[in-house]
Structures are given as structure tokens and as C-alpha cells.
């Protein structure tokens, strides 16, 4: 027999009138939500193709009366987008390395090593999720200043290793890896570092792939802390957009929309291609066994 993947409603249930109406209403709701999400992106894209006078006209128009693709060439040359894009990628790469080394090893220790007060340590990290990020921003600033990291990428990389949510997500995932594998490796003389890098880390690739998307979103969207702690030549694209585009006084609106449209392309492409890793990783991180 040929097997079919069943959705939330079976073909038998769809034969019932009430179920069919409810299913159609759910689809209409999903379409309406999709339109609400796509509409701002299309508005930004089309406004970048208009004349500045048309963007400022009232009532506003959805499609441009005349298509000016040269606006995107002006937007590309307005600021050095590749340079700031490189800075954002460096922040992402450094944050990912710190996540693997610091949070990965910490979650492995809490999950697979014999440590005293493991439950207490886990609940302590869980409690930190209820502390607003603004309360420890000044202590972070003072610590980084005392360490001499002000202005460097390390000032953003180092705090990335203190993400309690990522730690608990990794720990929950590693709890599902059978302990017998690590016990066999220890009997053969493997150290804990070797157990992590050769057993735990390869088996945890799905959850690390999910975390890489979250880390990328943070590195791409966060502008406040980088603009606060980094020097001008190390600022990411988000901080440059805020300084040179959103706060610019003599920049035409159509060029602003064109720049914002260009900046939206990389994260949209990444999330479209890797969205399955988000759901699968959260499922794997939340279900044991």
C-alpha cells in the first residue's frame, strides 16, 4: 500500500460540511496573514522604483507610474554595502564559533558529565531568561572596557557565549543522545573534549544548524549593541543603515527604500531555504529520545 503523509485534516474529515468550512476559513486566515507579511516587503521594493515625488505623493500608489531601476544603482553606491556586509558576516562567524565552543561544551557538561548540582545550575540559567537584557548592559560595557575589548569584534563575540536560551536548547537536545556511546568512548580512553568533538558535536548538527539561523538573525538585525560598542570601521550593516540611511536628512525616500530592499534580500533568501531547520531543530530540541 502506498502511504500518504496525513496533515491536520484527513480526506475523510474533509467530506464533512462543517470541517470543510472550517478548513476553508483557516486557509483564508493563513492567506490574509501571508499578505500582511508580504505587503511591507512589496511596498519597500516598489517605492524604491518610484520617483521621490511619487513616494511623497498622497494618496500613495502601490505600483510605480514609471519604473526607475537606476534607483537601485544609486542605492548600491550610496554607502559601501559590501564592506558592512563583510562586518556582519564576521560578527556572525565569531558568534557561531563562540556558541559552539562555549555553549556547546557547557551543554555537554550539564548533560553527559558527572557534575555536582547540575539541576541547580540548569535552573539558575533558566532563571536568567526572566532578567531583561537592559539590566546587564552596563555591567557588560564595564567588563568589556576593563578587558580592553572596546571597539573590536570580540566585544560582540564574547557576550554571545552567555545565551541561556541556546544553552538550554542544546542541553535538552544532548539529553536525547544515548549515554552508552560516551561510556564506550571513555572506556577506550577518549577524553571529554574528544567525546564532544567526535561524538556529541556531529550528532548535534541539526540543532546547531537551527541555532546558526538564530545567530545569523541576531548578527544581521542587531544595531544597538554593535553601534554602542564597536568602532566605525567594525560596525555591521544594521548599524550603518541606521547611521547613514535612517538618520540621513538629505537622502531621498526612494533611495532609502531601495537600500532597505537590497538589505532585505539576504535574510529573506536564507529563511526561505532553511526554514525547515528552524522547525525541525526546535522539535528535536524539545523532544527527548
Amino acid at each position: 500500500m502506498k502511504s500518504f503523509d496525513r496533515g491536520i485534516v484527513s480526506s475523510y474529515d474533509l467530506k464533512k460540511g462543517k470541517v470543510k468550512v472550517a478548513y476553508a476559513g483557516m486557509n483564508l486566515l493563513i492567506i490574509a496573514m501571508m499578505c500582511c507579511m508580504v505587503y511591507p516587503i512589496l511596498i519597500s521594493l516598489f517605492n524604491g522604483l518610484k520617483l521621490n515625488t511619487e513616494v511623497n505623493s498622497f494618496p500613495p500608489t502601490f505600483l510605480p507610474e514609471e519604473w526607475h531601476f537606476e534607483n537601485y544603482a544609486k542605492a548600491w553606491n550610496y554607502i559601501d554595502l559590501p564592506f558592512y556586509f563583510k562586518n556582519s558576516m564576521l560578527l556572525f562567524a565569531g558568534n557561531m564559533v563562540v556558541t559552539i565552543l562555549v555553549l556547546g561544551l557547557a551543554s555537554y557538561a550539564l548533560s553527559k558529565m558527572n557534575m555536582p548540582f547540575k539541576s541547580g545550575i540548569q535552573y539558575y540559567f533558566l532563571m536568567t531568561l526572566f532578567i531583561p537584557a537592559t539590566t546587564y548592559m552596563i555591567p557588560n560595557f564595564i567588563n568589556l572596557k576593563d578587558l580592553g575589548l572596546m571597539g573590536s569584534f570580540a566585544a560582540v563575540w564574547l557576550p554571545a557565549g552567555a545565551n541561556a536560551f541556546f544553552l538550554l536548547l542544546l542541553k535538552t537536545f544532548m539529553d536525547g543522545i544515548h549515554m552508552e556511546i560516551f561510556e564506550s568512548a571513555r572506556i577506550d580512553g577518549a577524553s571529554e573534549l574528544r567525546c564532544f568533538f567526535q561524538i556529541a558535536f556531529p550528532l548535534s548538527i541539526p540543532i546547531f544548524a537551527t541555532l546558526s539561523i538564530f545567530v545569523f538573525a541576531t548578527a544581521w538585525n542587531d544595531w544597538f549593541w554593535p553601534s554602542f560598542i564597536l568602532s566605525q570601521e567594525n560596525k555591521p550593516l544594521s548599524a550603518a543603515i541606521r547611521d547613514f540611511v535612517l538618520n540621513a536628512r538629505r537622502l531621498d525616500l526612494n533611495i532609502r527604500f531601495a537600500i532597505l530592499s537590497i538589505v532585505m534580500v539576504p535574510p529573506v533568501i536564507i529563511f526561505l531555504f532553511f526554514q525547515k531547520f528552524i522547525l525541525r531543530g526546535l522539535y528535536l530540541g524539545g523532544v527527548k529520545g
Side-chain angles (χ1 to χ4, degrees):
M1 294 179 63
K2 187 176 180 180
S3 62
F4 295 91
D5 293 333
R6 174 175 173 173
I8 59 175
V9 180
S10 65
S11 57
Y12 175 78
D13 293 331
L14 281 176
K15 295 178 182 179
K16 302 177 183 179
K18 294 182 179 180
V19 175
K20 188 179 295 185
V21 172
Y23 186 69
M26 182 184 65
N27 287 332
L28 290 176
L29 179 62
I30 293 174
I31 293 173
M33 293 173 60
M34 182 188 67
C35 293
C36 292
M37 296 176 183
V38 174
Y39 180 77
I41 299 176
L42 296 179
I43 283 294
S44 179
L45 176 65
F46 291 143
N47 282 347
L49 295 170
K50 299 176 182 178
L51 290 173
N52 190 51
T53 54
E54 186 179 356
V55 175
N56 290 283
S57 63
F58 187 84
T61 58
F62 183 68
L63 294 174
E65 296 179 358
E66 297 180 2
W67 299 74
H68 295 272
F69 292 97
E70 67 274 7
N71 290 345
Y72 282 88
K74 296 178 182 178
W76 181 266
N77 296 322
Y78 178 74
I79 60 175
D80 194 353
L81 290 177
F83 174 78
Y84 292 108
F85 175 80
K86 179 200 69 174
N87 288 347
S88 295
M89 291 299 99
L90 287 175
L91 288 179
F92 163 66
N95 289 349
M96 198 64 215
V97 170
V98 171
T99 299
I100 293 173
L101 294 180
V102 178
L103 297 180
L105 288 170
S107 59
Y108 170 77
L110 290 174
S111 178
K112 300 304 178 186
M113 293 179 62
N114 293 324
M115 292 179 53
F117 310 110
K118 286 201 300 185
S119 298
I121 295 173
Q122 180 178 350
Y123 285 117
Y124 170 77
F125 283 111
L126 183 62
M127 289 171 54
T128 61
L129 294 175
F130 299 94
I131 302 176
T134 53
T135 58
Y136 50 81
M137 186 172 296
I138 295 178
N140 276 346
F141 177 84
I142 296 174
N143 290 334
L144 293 171
K145 182 180 179 181
D146 292 340
L147 292 172
L149 299 178
M150 290 286 294
S152 64
F153 288 119
V156 179
W157 293 339
L158 191 60
N163 194 310
F165 174 72
F166 289 175
L167 174 65
L168 296 176
L169 196 63
L170 286 168
K171 194 264 180 187
T172 304
F173 181 88
M174 290 187 182
D175 286 342
I177 303 176
H178 296 294
M179 191 66 182
E180 291 80 3
I181 303 175
F182 301 96
E183 291 176 351
S184 299
R186 289 168 186 150
I187 292 174
D188 292 337
S191 63
E192 296 297 343
L193 282 176
R194 187 173 181 182
C195 288
F196 172 75
F197 285 107
Q198 293 191 355
I199 299 176
F201 177 71
L203 293 177
S204 303
I205 290 297
I207 195 67
F208 278 110
T210 301
L211 292 185
S212 67
I213 299 175
F214 294 148
V215 173
F216 173 80
T218 301
W220 189 265
N221 295 323
D222 187 22
W223 61 267
F224 181 78
W225 182 252
S227 63
F228 183 63
I229 203 75
L230 294 179
S231 59
Q232 185 61 48
E233 61 272 11
N234 290 335
K235 286 186 177 181
L237 186 58
S238 57
I241 292 297
R242 174 185 175 272
D243 293 339
F244 303 127
V245 178
L246 299 182
N247 290 341
R249 298 185 177 181
R250 297 185 178 181
L251 181 62
D252 293 339
L253 276 178
N254 57 344
I255 305 300
R256 292 191 189 189
F257 279 111
I259 295 174
L260 295 176
S261 299
I262 295 173
V263 172
M264 283 191 297
V265 172
V268 168
I269 293 176
I270 288 176
F271 278 95
L272 286 178
F273 280 95
F274 296 99
Q275 59 181 335
K276 62 180 181 180
F277 287 104
I278 300 178
L279 299 177
R280 187 178 71 173
L282 291 177
Y283 171 77
L284 293 174
V287 179
K288 298 182 180 179

